[in-house]
Amino acid sequence: MKTAWISTAGLAEQLSAATRDGVAVIGPTGALLFWNAAAQAITGWSRTQAATYVLTAIPDGLSEIRAGKWADTRRFRFQLGADEHVALLFADATAQIELAEANRKLATVGLVHPTTGFPGRELAIDHLSRSLSLGRRDDRAVGILAVGLTPPAATGVEVIVANDLVRQVARRLTIATRTSDFVAHTGEWTFSIILTAMTGGADSAIVVTARLLLMLSQPFVAGGRERTLATAIGVSHGPDQDVGAVALLERAEDAMREARSGGLAYRVWRSQAG
C-alpha cells in the first residue's frame, strides 16, 4: 500500500485556503518556505523582507509587528517526512488594540466603566436626551430601568469575585436587551437601561423588567461556588415636556431604592400626587 505524501507548499496552500490569517511556513534550516498575501498585508513585509527576519522569534499572542500594527500570532510544529517545520498564523489585532486603548482612555475620564467597558452615567444621560427628542418627534415612549444589585462582601480575594460577578451581570443584561436599547454601568452595582421606541409605554417597560428579573435571579458561579444577587429594578418613562433626561434617570433610581427598601422586586416611579 502506497503512502500519500504532500509537499510543504501543498500543505501551506491548503492551510492558507482554510483561513483568513496570514500564514508563514519555516523549514528545518530556518528558511522561509511559504508566505501568503494575508501575511504580507498584516505585517507589511514582502516575502523578501520576511525572509530576512527570524520569524520563529515572534512571540505567541499579541505583539506589535511594526509601529502601530499588532498581530495575534499562533504557531504549531509538524513533520514532513523526517523534517520538522514550523507554521506561524498571523491574525490582525490592530483594531482590537485600538478599541481597548480607546476604552482605556474613556475609562480614565469616567465615560466608561473600567470593569465592564459599558458606558457610564454621563453617556447614559446623553443617550437618554437624544432618545427623548426622538420619542417626542415620533410619538414613541422611552423607558428607563435602574437595575440595582446587592453586592457580596468585597474584601481580599472577594474583590476578584465581585468584579467577576459584575461582568457576568453585564453579559446577562446584554443578552436580555435589544440591540436598539442602551445599557450603561452607572454605579458599582447599578446599571441603567434605556428602552427606545416602546409602543406600550410603561407596560412594555414592565415586560422587560420581568424578563430581566427572571434572568438575574439565576445563580452566578464565581470563586468556585454559586452565588445569588438580590435585584431591585426601578422603572420610569418619558418623554415628558417638563422633565429632562437627568430627572427621568433619577426617578428610575429613586423607584429602585424604594423597591429595595420595601423588599420588592421592582417599582414603577409615581409622582407624589400619583
Side-chain angles (χ1 to χ4, degrees):
M1 182 177 180
K2 292 185 178 180
T3 302
W5 292 95
I6 185 171
S7 68
T8 303
L11 180 61
E13 289 287 357
Q14 289 186 28
L15 182 61
S16 181
T19 179
R20 295 181 180 179
D21 292 348
V23 178
V25 176
I26 297 96
T29 65
L32 178 61
L33 304 180
F34 184 83
W35 184 255
N36 70 349
Q40 179 168 332
I42 292 168
T43 65
W45 305 332
S46 67
R47 176 166 181 161
T48 301
Q49 289 173 306
T52 65
Y53 301 131
V54 182
L55 297 176
T56 52
I58 297 174
D60 285 343
L62 292 173
S63 61
E64 193 171 20
I65 293 289
R66 54 190 170 89
K69 194 69 173 180
W70 289 79
D72 185 3
T73 306
R74 292 162 291 151
R75 77 187 60 223
F76 63 89
R77 299 177 183 276
F78 62 94
Q79 295 286 137
L80 279 180
D83 296 329
E84 183 179 80
H85 296 66
V86 177
L88 297 179
L89 302 180
F90 302 100
D92 192 343
T94 304
Q96 291 92 319
I97 293 294
E98 290 175 347
L99 179 59
E101 178 61 14
N103 283 336
R104 185 193 67 78
K105 290 178 179 177
L106 289 171
T108 300
V109 297
L111 292 179
V112 300
H113 196 281
T115 303
T116 59
F118 275 9
R121 188 180 189 84
E122 187 175 339
L123 291 179
I125 291 170
D126 178 69
H127 184 86
L128 179 53
S129 261
R130 288 184 281 111
S131 297
L132 292 171
S133 295
L134 291 173
R136 293 185 189 98
R137 185 196 70 184
D138 300 333
D139 194 25
R140 293 286 191 94
V142 177
I144 304 97
L145 309 182
V147 182
L149 301 109
T150 302
T155 57
V157 71
E158 289 293 330
V159 173
I160 299 173
V161 171
N163 286 340
D164 185 18
L165 286 170
V166 167
R167 284 188 286 267
Q168 290 185 50
V169 169
R171 284 196 291 272
R172 292 192 190 185
L173 292 179
T174 299
I175 292 169
T177 51
R178 304 170 301 174
T179 55
S180 59
D181 297 329
F182 186 90
V183 185
H185 196 164
T186 48
E188 284 306 304
W189 290 90
T190 305
F191 295 82
S192 296
I193 302 173
I194 299 167
L195 308 172
T196 58
M198 296 194 308
T199 56
D203 290 341
S204 295
I206 292 172
V207 170
V208 176
T209 297
R211 185 166 69 241
L212 289 173
L213 287 168
L214 182 62
M215 183 170 283
L216 294 174
S217 69
Q218 302 303 310
F220 298 85
V221 178
R225 65 183 180 87
E226 288 190 350
R227 300 166 190 264
T228 302
L229 297 176
T231 305
I233 300 178
V235 182
S236 69
H237 65 92
D240 184 325
Q241 288 298 129
D242 300 321
V243 182
V246 173
L248 282 174
L249 180 57
E250 289 175 347
R251 285 180 177 182
E253 291 170 337
D254 287 344
M256 179 266 291
R257 285 187 283 267
E258 289 175 8
R260 177 182 283 164
S261 63
L264 303 174
Y266 78 93
R267 186 178 180 88
V268 179
W269 186 89
R270 295 282 186 263
S271 68
Q272 294 298 322

